[in-house]
Amino acid sequence: MFILTTRVIKLFFRDRIAVFFSLLSSFIIIVLYIIFLGHTYTSSISQIQDTSQLMNQWVMAGILASSSVSTTISTFSIMVDDRIKAVEKDFLASPIHRNKIMLSYYVAGLLVGYVLSLLTFLFAQIYILLNGGTWFHFSTIIKIILALVVIVVMNGSMMFCITSFFKSHHAFSTAVTLIGTLIGFMTGIYIPIGSLPASLQWVIKLFPTSHGAVLLRQIMMETSLVETFQNIPHSFLEHFEESFGIVYSFGQMKLTPLFHIIYLFIFILLFLGIGIYVIKRMH
Amino acid sequence: MKIIEVSHLKKAYDQVQAVNDVSFYVNEGEFFAFLGSNGAGKSTTIHILCTLLKPDDGYITIKNYQLNKDDTKIRQSIGIVFQNHVLDDLLTVKENLITRASLYYSSYQEIQQAVQNVMKDLNIEKYAHRLYGTLSGGQKRCCDIARAVIHQPQILFLDEPTTGLDPQNKRDVWEIIMRLQKQNHMTIFLTTHYMEETNHADYVVIMDEGKIVAKGTPLQLKNRYTYERFIIYTQDHFLKDDIKAWPYEKDIYEDYIVIHLHHTMEAYQILQQCQNKNIDFEVIKGTMEDVFIAVTGKELETCSY
């Protein structure tokens, strides 16, 4: 299975255009943030001074949470290609267990997603430093690296599940484009969740990737939030956290980091179960 | 000894009966050809035999393993050259073969050994480090065959293996296949719609609309379904007038005359009648194309092989 996984990883990285497009949604968010979103966000909290590091961390957390959506689905596109080009038949007519074939795509997708997420994190740190920010604490870096494991596995499982339904290039490309467009909204990066109508807020709060974004925002912005809001009334901080999707609450109940992690794990199992079921039926 | 045995195989897609009560067997070491036009049911049959499709009904054994029961053992015993290229364009030939060998062998040493052996055997070492996508059609086909025999299967399925190849490449591909068959005493199961490719087969089965319409050796089929032709090339109008009176079925054209023979020895009698005449002649046996047209009433594609 190791060799089959390596095959998928090699095929992904040798297709440079595919690699570029898998990172494109993250680039678009960064460009939009630099051009106007950053200004819009900081002006919405103009009463507070020195918010640039805070907002840089906020947007980078969102990008980190969502980047593995596009990188994993791009890797899983190899599974669709194999199905269309009958490469899958070549594998299925060999004595290897069918679960191993399926697992090789899944593991390859997760590895690609994780490596590119780590690179995105490195880029995020450099971007923050170049804009006058500071290094993350070592303990924060460890927390981010660990949180990324859960987030990548969840996003990867979700994309694996979605990919399992497709048998044609055209339909799959359309789905990838749609996902790439929606993901920025569904994780509350383009528009902070507090600026959306209540019904949409509910949809976003149910969307598992947004829980990954909340988790990362809490980890990455922990120190900056304390420093920026130290002389400001606590109610203002609470409002900011709610509006910018740093904390999710349902009624009076604020969700804890542990809740977000459990929520992500539940969706990992759900998506993986559906994906495996669909592929097994297809075989 | 029978290596493949198919009894009363049936498979339908919705309302279309793709394979309808088909029975045949293949002997060990035989070159078996499965002939039919597109949609005849060849691919469905081969997909079922390769464990890629479940039949609706029927009993199949391959190497005495029962299909749908001992599929893993069957898969270990078969190799397939698919009609389309199924290796990865962005991997080198060696990387492709290593990947495919890993489907059969668990240790890295065994994988490396199998790859080395097959590359040497098929003489593809020279482009081992080239990307598969950059190879010519013929080179790709050689690699496809290498992939199919990497685990030394006893049965090699060839699903229209020469489609899209030029005559030289077709000849090269067939040379390799025939050599491998002799060398490894491999059973070849060919599906094709190029009739001339079945000339060297030990046994031919012709399918049409999901049913077997004829089977036998190429010679048996030609003798049963075709006639031999004696062709006389001449400009001699007096001779043409003489021939018109001969008691044979014939077609007369501007430069030549085709006489239908009932048996080869009739050619000798005709030759005697043409003594001292200025003629060119040839005796042509019926082709597999004639067989196919005779049994199905349809025309197939021919090839230059």
Side-chain angles (χ1 to χ4, degrees):
Chain A
M1 206 200 84
F2 171 75
I3 293 178
L4 285 180
T5 307
T6 313
R7 165 189 175 262
V8 180
I9 294 171
K10 278 181 185 170
L11 287 177
F12 175 77
F13 282 110
R14 284 185 191 174
D15 188 351
R16 305 241 164 94
I17 294 172
V19 176
F20 170 76
F21 277 106
S22 74
L23 295 168
L24 190 63
S25 55
S26 300
F27 291 143
I28 289 172
I29 296 169
I30 292 166
V31 170
L32 291 178
Y33 177 71
I34 292 168
I35 295 172
F36 73 96
L37 286 180
H39 177 71
T40 312
Y41 300 152
T42 40
S43 61
S44 70
I45 47 168
S46 54
Q47 311 92 310
I48 307 163
Q49 288 183 338
D50 293 334
T51 54
S52 97
Q53 158 127 332
L54 190 74
M55 290 321 299
N56 287 342
Q57 288 173 343
W58 180 83
V59 82
M60 289 303 157
I63 289 170
L64 263 183
S66 61
S67 68
S68 53
V69 167
S70 48
T71 51
T72 53
I73 201 165
S74 291
T75 317
F76 296 142
S77 72
I78 294 165
M79 185 162 79
V80 179
D81 280 348
D82 287 352
R83 210 170 279 158
I84 295 160
K85 290 181 194 162
V87 176
E88 192 183 58
K89 278 186 196 168
D90 190 33
F91 291 153
L92 295 177
S94 72
I96 192 168
H97 200 284
R98 291 169 187 219
N99 287 350
K100 284 188 181 174
I101 301 169
M102 212 178 346
L103 207 60
S104 71
Y105 294 112
Y106 180 67
V107 172
L110 298 189
L111 288 174
V112 167
Y114 192 63
V115 167
L116 290 180
S117 288
L118 290 179
L119 282 175
T120 310
F121 172 52
L122 185 68
F123 170 82
Q125 175 67 87
I126 292 167
Y127 180 84
I128 290 165
L129 286 175
L130 288 176
N131 285 280
T134 55
W135 286 93
F136 287 111
H137 291 143
F138 181 70
S139 60
T140 308
I141 292 173
I142 298 296
K143 280 183 199 168
I144 292 168
I145 288 171
L146 292 176
L148 278 176
V149 174
V150 188
I151 291 164
V152 170
V153 175
M154 203 294 298
N155 285 338
S157 303
M158 181 165 64
M159 294 305 113
F160 182 74
C161 172
I162 291 171
T163 310
S164 68
F165 288 94
F166 290 94
K167 288 180 187 171
S168 90
H169 262 306
H170 182 70
F172 184 69
S173 306
T174 310
V176 171
T177 310
L178 200 68
I179 290 165
T181 312
L182 285 178
I183 197 69
F185 291 103
M186 293 301 282
T187 43
I189 309 172
Y190 291 143
I191 305 168
I193 190 168
S195 312
L196 296 168
S199 55
L200 254 177
Q201 286 189 27
W202 265 94
V203 175
I204 291 174
K205 281 179 180 177
L206 290 174
F207 185 59
T209 303
S210 77
H211 286 260
V214 171
L215 192 63
L216 277 177
R217 284 174 193 142
Q218 288 178 5
I219 297 168
M220 290 170 78
M221 297 169 75
E222 192 182 10
T223 315
S224 301
L225 280 171
V226 174
E227 285 170 2
T228 310
F229 286 86
Q230 59 186 337
N231 298 320
I232 294 167
H234 192 67
S235 61
F236 207 91
L237 170 64
E238 280 184 346
H239 176 72
F240 175 78
E241 286 180 332
E242 285 270 342
S243 302
F244 278 79
I246 300 159
V247 169
Y248 275 177
S249 57
F250 288 92
Q252 295 302 310
M253 188 184 71
K254 275 189 179 176
L255 303 184
T256 62
L258 182 65
F259 178 92
H260 294 304
I261 292 169
I262 292 170
Y263 194 81
L264 291 171
F265 268 110
I266 290 169
F267 275 90
I268 289 171
L269 295 176
L270 183 73
F271 287 130
L272 200 53
I274 297 170
I276 290 170
Y277 174 75
V278 172
I279 293 174
K280 279 197 166 179
R281 266 186 65 109
M282 205 177 276
H283 289 169
Chain B
M1 189 192 150
K2 291 173 189 170
I3 195 161
I4 300 174
E5 207 167 354
V6 177
S7 304
H8 304 291
L9 177 64
K10 287 181 185 170
K11 177 73 188 175
Y13 301 105
D14 297 324
Q15 301 299 311
V16 181
Q17 193 69 42
V19 180
N20 192 1
D21 200 19
V22 163
S23 300
F24 63 89
Y25 64 85
V26 181
N27 288 319
E28 195 175 348
E30 194 171 64
F31 175 7
F32 181 91
F34 216 49
L35 191 61
S37 53
N38 290 331
K42 312 186 295 286
S43 286
T44 302
T45 308
I46 208 170
H47 275 75
I48 291 171
L49 294 179
C50 296
T51 74
L52 291 169
L53 206 57
K54 284 206 187 310
D56 295 337
D57 200 6
Y59 183 80
I60 297 168
T61 58
I62 294 178
K63 269 191 77 195
N64 288 328
Y65 297 125
Q66 194 183 327
L67 196 91
N68 290 335
K69 201 173 158 197
D70 308 309
D71 284 2
T72 307
K73 284 173 183 161
I74 290 174
R75 289 175 190 142
Q76 190 74 52
S77 317
I78 62 171
I80 311 161
V81 177
F82 290 93
Q83 191 179 347
N84 302 330
H85 301 296
V86 291
L87 297 182
D88 299 307
D89 284 347
L90 291 174
L91 297 186
T92 65
V93 170
K94 194 175 180 185
E95 286 170 336
N96 265 304
L97 292 175
I98 287 174
T99 307
R100 274 28 180 213
S102 76
L103 303 170
Y104 301 90
Y105 301 104
S106 46
S107 91
Y108 198 70
Q109 263 184 335
E110 281 177 317
I111 292 170
Q112 286 287 353
Q113 192 61 53
V115 171
Q116 289 304 331
N117 289 346
V118 83
M119 286 202 303
K120 198 174 167 193
D121 209 13
L122 273 84
N123 200 22
I124 53 174
E125 287 159 309
K126 51 188 176 288
Y127 39 86
H129 298 289
R130 274 179 61 187
L131 290 180
Y132 178 76
T134 63
L135 302 180
S136 70
Q139 289 170 332
K140 279 184 178 174
R141 230 356 156 204
C142 286
C143 296
D144 295 341
I145 296 169
R147 180 268 169 266
V149 299
I150 200 158
H151 56 297
Q152 297 179 318
Q154 287 97 324
I155 306 163
L156 180 63
F157 286 94
L158 303 166
D159 190 5
E160 309 199 3
T162 56
T163 303
L165 294 184
D166 63 44
Q168 180 59 48
N169 281 324
K170 275 181 187 166
R171 210 163 287 142
D172 294 345
V173 163
W174 277 110
E175 256 176 47
I176 292 170
I177 293 168
M178 291 297 119
R179 182 167 56 79
L180 287 173
Q181 188 203 9
K182 272 189 192 160
Q183 194 177 296
N184 306 332
H185 193 59
M186 211 160 43
T187 306
I188 304 284
F189 189 110
L190 167 75
T191 70
T192 184
H193 58 268
Y194 291 141
M195 286 154 292
E196 299 314 305
E197 289 189 337
T198 63
N199 270 331
H200 304 291
D202 297 309
Y203 202 78
V204 178
V205 161
I206 301 177
M207 270 192 100
D208 189 40
E209 294 177 4
K211 287 186 174 175
I212 292 178
V213 288
K215 51 186 169 184
T217 65
L219 185 65
Q220 285 169 346
L221 291 171
K222 285 174 186 176
N223 286 340
R224 201 181 310 152
Y225 296 105
T226 68
Y227 54 86
E228 284 161 65
R229 281 158 289 189
F230 189 105
I231 303 175
I232 299 171
Y233 297 93
T234 182
Q235 304 278 348
D236 184 341
H237 292 288
F238 297 110
L239 177 62
K240 278 186 181 174
D241 289 340
D242 284 352
I243 291 173
K244 277 179 189 168
W246 291 357
Y248 303 106
E249 193 184 330
K250 55 200 161 297
D251 303 311
I252 300 174
Y253 300 94
E254 183 61 31
D255 297 331
Y256 65 97
I257 300 143
V258 180
I259 299 169
H260 300 198
L261 305 178
H262 294 104
H263 51 85
T264 318
M265 288 311 287
E266 281 180 342
Y268 184 66
Q269 294 163 12
I270 293 169
L271 266 180
Q272 281 186 324
Q273 293 181 59
C274 294
Q275 259 182 354
N276 304 322
K277 308 274 189 206
N278 184 21
I279 61 160
D280 281 339
F281 71 94
E282 61 182 331
V283 180
I284 297 175
K285 199 154 185 67
T287 62
M288 288 305 290
E289 187 176 356
D290 298 328
V291 173
F292 189 83
I293 293 167
V295 296
T296 66
K298 295 171 185 168
E299 297 220 18
L300 267 177
E301 208 172 316
T302 52
C303 79
S304 55
Y305 171 70

